[in-house]
Amino acid sequence: MARLVGIFELPAQVAAAVKQLRGRGYTDLETYAPAPFPEVEDAVDPKPSKVRVLTLIGGLVGVVTGYAMTIWMSNDWQIMVGGKPFASIPPYTIIAFELTILFGGVLTVLGLFIFGGLPKFKIDPAYSSRFSAEDFGLVVRCREQDVAEIDALMRENDAMEVNLVES
Amino acid sequence: MTPPNDTIAGMIRPVPTPPDSQTNRDLLNVMKGTSSGYWFLLGLSLFFLHLGGAIWVYQVYKGLGIAGYAHPVFWGVYIVTFVFWIGIAHAGTLISAILYLFRAKWRNAINRGAEAMTVFAVLTAAQFLGIHVGRMWKSYFILPYPNQRGLWVNFKSPLLWDTFAISTYATISILFLYVGLIPDIAIARDRATGWKKVLYMVLALGWVGSSKQWKAHNRSVLHLSGLATPLVLSVHSVVSWDFAVALVPGWHTTIFAPYFVAGAIFSGFAMVLTLMIPIRRIFGLEAYITDYHFDNMSRFILLTSIICGYAYVAEYFISWYSGVEAEQTAFWLRAFGPYWISTWVMIICNTVLPQLLWFKKLRVNVPFLFVLSVFINIGMWFERYVIIVSSLSREHNPAVWGEFIPSWPEMGILAGSFGFFCTLFLIFLKLFPIIAIAEMKEIAIHEKVHGAEGAH
């Protein structure tokens, strides 16, 4: 197997190349971008990120924890404060609200780690510091006999360079 | 179709590295080298930090009695300073979260600095709760942890709501700052050498900007913004309820939550100006932080100043209109009683001086903005001083009225808090990009795209 890196200047060029490659059945591909560009990300995988599932779970766990903790603790050792019920929902809503945000936020970051594949201990040798400058990279894994075809396709989409890297 | 083997072999080569992009060079340059001016500022900050620390140790040794607390005022400079720093923090979240949701692109140049300011301001503020209660090492008593007495905390107390609000706010703002930093740390990692390279490799978590990573990153920032937006409004509301829930004249009012939130954003924007104006000048970032940004920030300051002014007027009107003698007296004494200087400093700095921002020329006049922002910082500290101290010293019963005079340890620890904040900020400045590089690049590449389209 060989790995080709195409280097592009503009996001639309990468997105077009990705779409054509996927159309021809090359699905083992990855892009490297210096900044977020939805057209590039959606070309690789059009499905929305699953981070939102974790945010929702975090928020729900937070709101339940907030109410459950305050209500249970108030009833575990009952102390009358200001003639109010032991478990007073209005002030406990503030605690529940804060914990909703806290748990939701923590699980959102956990979602970034899980669905973004972080932390990554081994950096792809095809990655280059150009991709943290202003260039876009498109890495395709393919059979050696397909190299010429992919090379031509990338150049058709205005790739500045196409290189092979050790895989 | 198989190309000859020598062609494939000839193509195997490392990806060549052309010269770095202009954005990277400009913005990473801030982190390079340290001038004598930087060491002077860091030294000055460390001096005040240690001064404050030493005074705190002295206070621990002698007891809270040295803090100027005297009947009936037991919330003094420490609580004032706590509210002041929490307020400062708010602009950071407003810029990074609320303006993000509104897709206000001008935030990109200032959001990193504002987020860092938020984190350091919250950390500074949180210490004051410990300093104020005296025995800081017992601070964990406020948390609902299982203990041998079987007691739990009082969830009906605003002070406990505050604990949850502040700790959530600190956590979320640290996460927000870090998530935004990851791509920029990766940029720094690719260019760093020595121990910094190791530090950035660990902190960047192996970020390469793949489509999967950017997709998850975008979504996370969006969700964190969505969560932080109600959070930032709630935090200062909860802080205001520390006062509003009490039956003290001058505190017991429903206007407090919006009034405090507006004041917080007002003071926070002023602090962003106080910090970013010198940074822009020293590191030559005029191309990134432009008149357009100053104009927008000035408009925000003007708007929130007017809201504050409205709140001041509404407070006076309602106290008169209520017919409650204690309220009327409290507000009369604010303006003409023993704390009249603080009150007029607050009114002039917060509502009169910012009116100059109606003039477009002054909105983009950087030296003027710097001076104005310092006045606003002072005015907002005095606002909290007026609210807290003047109300407590003139409660319902004139027989227990008293005076509060700030003591030197309190003022020393206040100075120490600026030392702590500035030390953290100055260290941050040299370790991490103070302007969000990836976000600036997003704009630069979009401009390139439109340039290319125009050329065709």
Side-chain angles (χ1 to χ4, degrees), chain B residues 105-174:
Chain B
K105 281 286 173 196
W106 61 274
R107 66 182 263 290
N108 292 21
I110 48 167
N111 72 337
R112 173 67 44 73
E115 282 165 29
M117 182 192 81
T118 295
V119 170
F120 302 145
V122 175
L123 294 180
T124 313
Q127 293 178 58
F128 275 89
L129 297 173
I131 295 169
H132 168 76
V133 294
R135 288 186 280 175
M136 196 192 255
W137 53 98
K138 303 272 188 197
S139 297
Y140 66 92
F141 276 22
I142 195 84
L143 299 173
Y145 66 100
N147 54 69
Q148 287 172 318
R149 290 150 294 163
L151 276 171
W152 299 108
V153 289
N154 177 13
F155 289 109
K156 293 177 192 102
S157 163
L159 302 183
L160 203 78
W161 309 341
D162 222 13
T163 307
F164 277 82
I166 303 293
S167 47
T168 301
Y169 194 43
T171 313
I172 297 291
S173 26
I174 290 169

XYZ file of all heavy atoms in Angstrom, chain B residues 105-174:
571
model
N -17.810 38.357 13.987
C -16.456 37.932 13.619
C -15.373 38.803 14.249
O -14.228 38.383 14.370
C -16.306 37.931 12.100
C -16.920 36.709 11.437
C -16.053 35.468 11.659
C -16.730 34.206 11.143
N -16.112 32.989 11.656
N -15.729 40.018 14.651
C -14.689 40.904 15.170
C -14.131 40.428 16.504
O -13.093 40.887 16.962
C -15.198 42.338 15.304
C -16.353 42.509 16.246
C -17.665 42.363 15.939
C -16.309 42.851 17.624
N -18.438 42.599 17.042
C -17.634 42.899 18.096
C -15.269 43.132 18.526
C -17.954 43.200 19.419
C -15.591 43.429 19.831
C -16.928 43.460 20.264
N -14.817 39.449 17.121
C -14.335 38.971 18.405
C -13.020 38.221 18.274
O -12.268 38.092 19.229
C -15.372 38.050 19.049
C -15.575 36.774 18.279
C -16.626 35.897 18.900
N -16.076 34.872 19.751
C -15.380 33.827 19.316
N -15.126 33.662 18.055
N -14.933 32.937 20.177
N -12.709 37.691 17.056
C -11.554 36.804 16.899
C -10.239 37.406 17.365
O -9.377 36.683 17.850
C -11.406 36.412 15.420
C -12.541 35.524 14.989
O -13.590 35.521 15.627
N -12.371 34.793 13.922
N -10.100 38.717 17.206
C -8.824 39.316 17.554
C -8.644 39.427 19.059
O -7.525 39.469 19.551
C -8.700 40.694 16.918
N -9.724 39.470 19.796
C -9.589 39.745 21.227
C -10.050 38.588 22.095
O -9.886 38.622 23.305
C -10.370 41.015 21.625
C -11.779 40.974 21.052
C -9.641 42.260 21.205
C -12.687 42.014 21.641
N -10.620 37.521 21.493
C -11.258 36.538 22.371
C -10.269 35.762 23.230
O -10.545 35.492 24.382
C -12.185 35.601 21.574
C -11.432 34.637 20.720
O -10.294 34.870 20.353
N -12.059 33.538 20.403
N -9.085 35.420 22.687
C -8.139 34.642 23.480
C -7.688 35.435 24.710
O -7.703 34.931 25.834
C -6.941 34.257 22.614
C -5.803 33.579 23.346
C -6.177 32.214 23.868
N -6.909 31.432 22.894
C -6.382 30.878 21.808
N -5.111 31.023 21.547
N -7.133 30.191 21.002
N -7.313 36.685 24.487
C -6.883 37.519 25.600
C -7.989 37.653 26.633
O -7.748 37.580 27.842
N -9.228 37.807 26.148
C -10.351 37.968 27.065
C -10.635 36.675 27.827
O -10.959 36.703 29.016
C -11.584 38.412 26.288
N -10.486 35.513 27.144
C -10.720 34.244 27.833
C -9.673 34.004 28.913
O -9.995 33.548 30.018
C -10.686 33.081 26.837
C -11.948 32.941 26.023
C -11.751 32.033 24.816
O -10.916 31.124 24.870
O -12.450 32.252 23.824
N -8.418 34.313 28.583
C -7.352 34.154 29.579
C -7.624 35.076 30.761
O -7.503 34.675 31.927
C -6.002 34.468 28.953
N -8.042 36.303 30.439
C -8.373 37.258 31.499
C -9.471 36.699 32.386
O -9.410 36.807 33.615
C -8.822 38.562 30.843
C -9.156 39.659 31.789
S -9.989 41.003 30.941
C -11.652 40.393 30.843
N -10.474 36.076 31.775
C -11.574 35.482 32.538
C -11.062 34.458 33.533
O -11.378 34.509 34.724
C -12.568 34.790 31.582
O -13.158 35.789 30.765
C -13.633 34.052 32.335
N -10.253 33.537 33.033
C -9.770 32.459 33.905
C -8.979 33.045 35.075
O -9.217 32.692 36.236
C -8.906 31.470 33.098
C -8.200 30.497 34.019
C -9.761 30.729 32.097
N -8.068 33.972 34.771
C -7.220 34.503 35.843
C -8.033 35.366 36.807
O -7.769 35.382 38.007
C -6.044 35.286 35.254
C -5.209 34.441 34.331
C -4.617 34.973 33.202
C -5.034 33.086 34.593
C -3.872 34.177 32.350
C -4.290 32.281 33.749
C -3.707 32.834 32.627
N -9.022 36.089 36.277
C -9.848 36.921 37.154
C -10.693 36.051 38.086
O -10.842 36.363 39.270
C -10.735 37.848 36.336
N -11.232 34.930 37.562
C -12.023 34.047 38.431
C -11.127 33.446 39.512
O -11.511 33.366 40.679
C -12.715 32.930 37.618
C -13.424 31.961 38.537
C -13.712 33.514 36.652
N -9.924 33.031 39.121
C -9.016 32.443 40.110
C -8.659 33.476 41.176
O -8.545 33.150 42.364
C -7.744 31.929 39.424
C -7.933 30.765 38.463
C -6.603 30.341 37.856
C -8.588 29.569 39.143
N -8.460 34.728 40.752
C -8.151 35.783 41.716
C -9.338 35.988 42.654
O -9.176 36.059 43.880
C -7.845 37.107 40.977
O -6.934 36.839 39.921
C -7.258 38.127 41.911
N -10.528 36.068 42.063
C -11.729 36.324 42.863
C -11.955 35.209 43.878
O -12.252 35.476 45.050
C -12.943 36.460 41.950
N -11.802 33.967 43.432
C -12.116 32.838 44.308
C -11.292 32.881 45.585
O -11.762 32.496 46.660
C -11.893 31.530 43.566
N -10.051 33.370 45.480
C -9.206 33.433 46.679
C -9.787 34.349 47.736
O -9.576 34.140 48.923
C -7.830 33.951 46.305
C -7.061 33.009 45.435
C -5.753 33.613 45.065
O -4.958 33.954 45.921
N -5.534 33.796 43.790
N -10.514 35.386 47.262
C -11.001 36.366 48.227
C -12.076 35.808 49.141
O -12.263 36.304 50.256
C -11.467 37.637 47.512
C -10.325 38.559 47.264
C -9.584 38.458 46.105
C -9.935 39.480 48.213
C -8.500 39.266 45.894
C -8.851 40.299 48.022
C -8.123 40.186 46.851
N -12.776 34.773 48.665
C -13.748 34.143 49.557
C -13.001 33.516 50.726
O -13.408 33.624 51.884
C -14.554 33.098 48.799
C -15.403 33.686 47.662
C -16.042 32.582 46.864
C -16.447 34.627 48.216
N -11.880 32.859 50.420
C -11.075 32.252 51.474
C -10.436 33.293 52.370
O -10.432 33.164 53.595
N -9.913 34.354 51.754
C -9.266 35.404 52.548
C -10.296 36.052 53.469
O -10.016 36.344 54.629
C -8.629 36.456 51.607
C -7.501 35.822 50.793
C -8.110 37.649 52.401
C -6.997 36.684 49.660
N -11.511 36.229 52.941
C -12.554 36.902 53.718
C -13.005 36.078 54.925
O -13.256 36.639 55.994
C -13.752 37.202 52.815
C -14.983 37.617 53.552
N -15.117 38.873 54.085
C -16.103 36.950 53.867
C -16.292 38.959 54.699
N -16.904 37.794 54.574
N -13.127 34.759 54.765
C -13.582 33.982 55.919
C -12.472 33.764 56.929
O -12.732 33.283 58.036
C -14.211 32.626 55.528
C -15.488 32.827 54.749
C -13.250 31.751 54.774
N -11.251 34.129 56.555
C -10.165 34.070 57.538
C -9.413 32.762 57.484
O -8.289 32.722 57.031
N -10.058 31.696 57.930
C -9.344 30.423 57.938
C -9.549 29.723 56.600
O -10.419 28.878 56.439
C -9.814 29.568 59.106
C -9.317 30.121 60.429
C -9.651 29.230 61.571
N -11.034 29.421 61.995
C -11.613 28.683 62.941
N -10.948 27.725 63.541
N -12.856 28.912 63.279
N -8.719 30.099 55.641
C -8.884 29.651 54.260
C -8.822 28.136 54.139
O -9.479 27.548 53.287
C -7.800 30.286 53.394
C -8.072 30.216 51.899
S -6.612 30.647 50.983
C -6.995 32.283 50.411
N -8.015 27.517 55.004
C -7.843 26.061 54.905
C -9.094 25.298 55.340
O -9.161 24.095 55.186
C -6.625 25.608 55.734
C -6.677 26.086 57.153
C -7.101 25.381 58.228
C -6.294 27.368 57.635
N -7.029 26.143 59.351
C -6.538 27.370 59.020
C -5.782 28.531 57.035
C -6.277 28.492 59.818
C -5.527 29.617 57.831
C -5.776 29.594 59.207
N -10.089 26.015 55.860
C -11.362 25.353 56.174
C -12.396 25.621 55.074
O -13.575 25.370 55.266
C -11.914 25.873 57.497
C -10.979 25.701 58.684
C -11.171 24.367 59.347
C -10.364 24.325 60.642
N -10.188 22.960 61.137
N -11.950 26.177 53.962
C -12.895 26.570 52.909
C -13.728 25.391 52.421
O -14.842 25.573 51.948
C -12.153 27.177 51.714
O -11.507 28.352 52.100
N -13.167 24.186 52.527
C -13.915 23.033 52.010
C -15.189 22.764 52.807
O -16.028 21.977 52.373
C -13.018 21.790 51.985
C -12.591 21.299 53.349
C -13.352 20.339 54.012
C -11.447 21.784 53.980
C -12.985 19.891 55.266
C -11.080 21.337 55.223
C -11.838 20.398 55.863
O -11.483 19.964 57.107
N -15.353 23.433 53.939
C -16.594 23.284 54.707
C -17.827 23.648 53.873
O -18.924 23.200 54.145
C -16.574 24.200 55.943
C -15.862 23.620 57.128
C -14.924 22.608 56.982
C -16.124 24.089 58.415
C -14.258 22.075 58.068
C -15.462 23.554 59.515
C -14.524 22.554 59.347
N -17.627 24.506 52.879
C -18.756 24.975 52.077
C -19.231 23.903 51.100
O -20.331 24.002 50.562
C -18.362 26.276 51.325
C -19.575 27.027 50.770
C -17.419 25.992 50.196
C -20.253 27.911 51.733
N -18.441 22.856 50.898
C -18.837 21.818 49.939
C -19.691 20.767 50.642
O -19.468 20.466 51.816
C -17.596 21.151 49.338
C -16.674 22.084 48.565
C -15.402 21.363 48.156
C -17.381 22.648 47.346
N -20.662 20.209 49.938
C -21.497 19.171 50.546
C -20.770 17.825 50.547
O -20.954 17.019 49.656
C -22.738 19.133 49.643
C -22.294 19.678 48.343
C -21.125 20.566 48.576
N -19.914 17.620 51.531
C -19.170 16.357 51.605
C -19.668 15.597 52.829
O -20.090 16.191 53.824
C -17.670 16.623 51.699
C -17.250 17.303 52.976
C -16.702 16.564 54.027
C -17.413 18.666 53.147
C -16.337 17.184 55.214
C -17.059 19.295 54.313
C -16.521 18.550 55.349
O -16.168 19.153 56.512
N -19.658 14.260 52.766
C -20.126 13.477 53.921
C -19.164 13.670 55.093
O -17.954 13.625 54.896
C -20.069 12.024 53.424
C -19.671 12.077 52.005
C -19.158 13.434 51.682
N -19.706 13.954 56.266
C -18.830 14.168 57.417
C -19.388 13.439 58.630
O -20.539 12.994 58.639
C -18.664 15.664 57.686
C -20.006 16.347 57.845
O -20.702 16.119 58.826
N -20.397 17.156 56.873
N -18.560 13.348 59.681
C -18.934 12.549 60.850
C -20.135 13.118 61.582
O -20.847 12.403 62.259
C -17.753 12.475 61.811
C -16.667 11.578 61.313
C -15.429 11.647 62.167
O -15.007 12.715 62.600
N -14.845 10.488 62.435
N -20.349 14.439 61.441
C -21.505 15.035 62.125
C -22.802 14.762 61.385
O -23.873 15.078 61.873
C -21.295 16.548 62.265
C -20.225 16.926 63.252
C -19.567 18.209 62.851
N -18.825 18.003 61.592
C -18.414 18.953 60.806
N -18.642 20.180 61.085
N -17.750 18.677 59.706
N -22.690 14.220 60.178
C -23.891 13.920 59.406
C -24.601 15.161 58.892
O -25.741 15.091 58.455
N -23.924 16.313 58.955
C -24.552 17.574 58.531
C -24.311 17.824 57.048
O -23.286 17.424 56.500
C -23.943 18.749 59.303
C -24.523 19.048 60.672
C -23.647 20.078 61.360
C -25.935 19.584 60.529
N -25.258 18.516 56.444
C -25.070 18.943 55.058
C -25.091 20.465 55.020
O -25.483 21.110 55.990
C -26.166 18.361 54.171
C -26.175 16.869 54.154
C -27.081 16.050 54.740
C -25.214 16.014 53.552
N -26.746 14.727 54.547
C -25.601 14.682 53.804
C -24.044 16.236 52.809
C -24.877 13.577 53.345
C -23.333 15.134 52.350
C -23.749 13.827 52.623
N -24.696 21.003 53.855
C -24.682 22.464 53.737
C -26.112 22.973 53.529
O -27.014 22.210 53.217
C -23.785 22.892 52.567
C -22.340 22.642 52.910
C -24.169 22.151 51.297
N -26.289 24.302 53.700
C -27.605 24.902 53.554
C -27.805 25.376 52.116
O -27.331 26.439 51.727
C -27.734 26.083 54.530
C -29.059 26.801 54.367
O -29.969 26.296 53.712
N -29.161 27.982 54.947
N -28.525 24.561 51.355
C -28.710 24.885 49.939
C -29.641 26.069 49.730
O -29.837 26.506 48.605
C -29.259 23.671 49.184
C -28.250 22.572 49.018
C -28.368 21.385 49.721
C -27.175 22.736 48.175
C -27.434 20.382 49.566
C -26.239 21.737 48.010
C -26.374 20.552 48.715
N -30.257 26.563 50.808
C -31.151 27.718 50.640
C -30.383 29.026 50.754
O -30.966 30.095 50.615
C -32.260 27.674 51.691
C -33.195 26.496 51.481
C -34.254 26.415 52.563
C -34.979 25.096 52.500
N -34.546 24.125 53.497
N -29.076 28.936 51.034
C -28.296 30.150 51.221
C -27.690 30.619 49.904
O -27.085 29.833 49.171
C -27.179 29.886 52.221
O -26.210 30.890 52.111
N -27.816 31.925 49.607
C -27.198 32.457 48.387
C -25.689 32.233 48.374
O -25.097 32.120 47.303
C -27.501 33.956 48.441
C -28.619 34.106 49.397
C -28.548 32.962 50.355
N -25.071 32.162 49.557
C -23.622 31.969 49.581
C -23.267 30.608 49.005
O -22.228 30.432 48.381
C -23.091 32.109 51.011
C -23.389 33.452 51.661
C -22.762 33.514 53.043
C -22.880 34.598 50.814
N -24.158 29.635 49.192
C -23.898 28.315 48.633
C -24.167 28.297 47.126
O -23.457 27.648 46.368
C -24.738 27.257 49.342
C -24.055 25.918 49.173
C -22.901 25.780 50.104
C -25.007 24.800 49.291
N -25.210 29.039 46.712
C -25.438 29.145 45.252
C -24.183 29.712 44.607
O -23.772 29.266 43.534
C -26.610 30.073 44.924
C -27.891 29.797 45.652
C -28.227 28.628 46.266
C -28.972 30.697 45.851
N -29.468 28.751 46.834
C -29.947 30.009 46.579
C -29.209 32.014 45.458
C -31.145 30.605 46.953
C -30.406 32.601 45.822
C -31.368 31.896 46.573
N -23.602 30.690 45.289
C -22.384 31.325 44.807
C -21.265 30.306 44.638
O -20.556 30.322 43.637
C -21.965 32.387 45.819
C -21.504 33.653 45.139
O -21.749 33.782 43.936
O -20.916 34.492 45.813
N -21.117 29.431 45.624
C -20.082 28.403 45.547
C -20.247 27.586 44.275
O -19.284 27.359 43.536
C -20.190 27.466 46.758
O -20.176 28.258 47.928
C -19.061 26.469 46.783
N -21.472 27.161 44.016
C -21.707 26.342 42.824
C -21.508 27.176 41.558
O -20.935 26.700 40.576
C -23.120 25.731 42.863
C -23.176 24.478 43.697
C -23.290 24.548 45.075
C -23.093 23.236 43.100
C -23.312 23.400 45.847
C -23.112 22.086 43.863
C -23.228 22.157 45.243
N -21.993 28.417 41.589
C -21.878 29.260 40.393
C -20.414 29.539 40.077
O -19.979 29.391 38.933
C -22.638 30.565 40.593
N -19.639 29.908 41.097
C -18.247 30.289 40.854
C -17.422 29.078 40.440
O -16.603 29.154 39.522
C -17.625 30.943 42.106
C -18.437 32.161 42.556
C -16.167 31.302 41.875
C -18.417 33.313 41.640
N -17.644 27.922 41.102
C -16.810 26.780 40.730
C -17.177 26.276 39.339
O -16.303 25.875 38.575
C -16.890 25.665 41.775
O -18.226 25.422 42.117
N -18.466 26.339 38.986
C -18.846 25.968 37.621
C -18.225 26.945 36.624
O -17.672 26.549 35.600
C -20.378 25.998 37.460
O -20.945 25.085 38.396
C -20.805 25.603 36.073
N -18.286 28.216 36.962
C -17.759 29.233 36.058
C -16.264 29.058 35.849
O -15.766 29.142 34.720
C -18.064 30.617 36.630
C -17.863 31.735 35.654
C -18.301 31.620 34.344
C -17.236 32.906 36.032
C -18.120 32.640 33.449
C -17.058 33.947 35.140
C -17.496 33.804 33.851
O -17.312 34.827 32.961
N -15.537 28.796 36.948
C -14.093 28.593 36.827
C -13.813 27.388 35.934
O -12.983 27.458 35.015
C -13.471 28.406 38.208
N -14.525 26.281 36.168
C -14.278 25.065 35.385
C -14.575 25.302 33.915
O -13.763 24.982 33.038
C -15.177 23.921 35.896
O -15.095 23.896 37.315
C -14.742 22.596 35.339
N -15.747 25.874 33.634
C -16.142 26.054 32.231
C -15.208 27.033 31.533
O -14.825 26.822 30.380
C -17.615 26.523 32.133
C -18.566 25.456 32.697
C -17.989 26.866 30.697
C -18.662 24.192 31.881
N -14.786 28.096 32.233
C -13.913 29.034 31.517
C -12.540 28.435 31.276
O -11.924 28.722 30.247
C -13.815 30.411 32.177
O -14.060 30.361 33.517
N -12.061 27.573 32.185
C -10.774 26.910 31.921
C -10.914 25.961 30.729
O -10.079 25.948 29.825
C -10.284 26.166 33.187
C -9.859 27.183 34.247
C -9.130 25.238 32.841
C -9.617 26.596 35.615
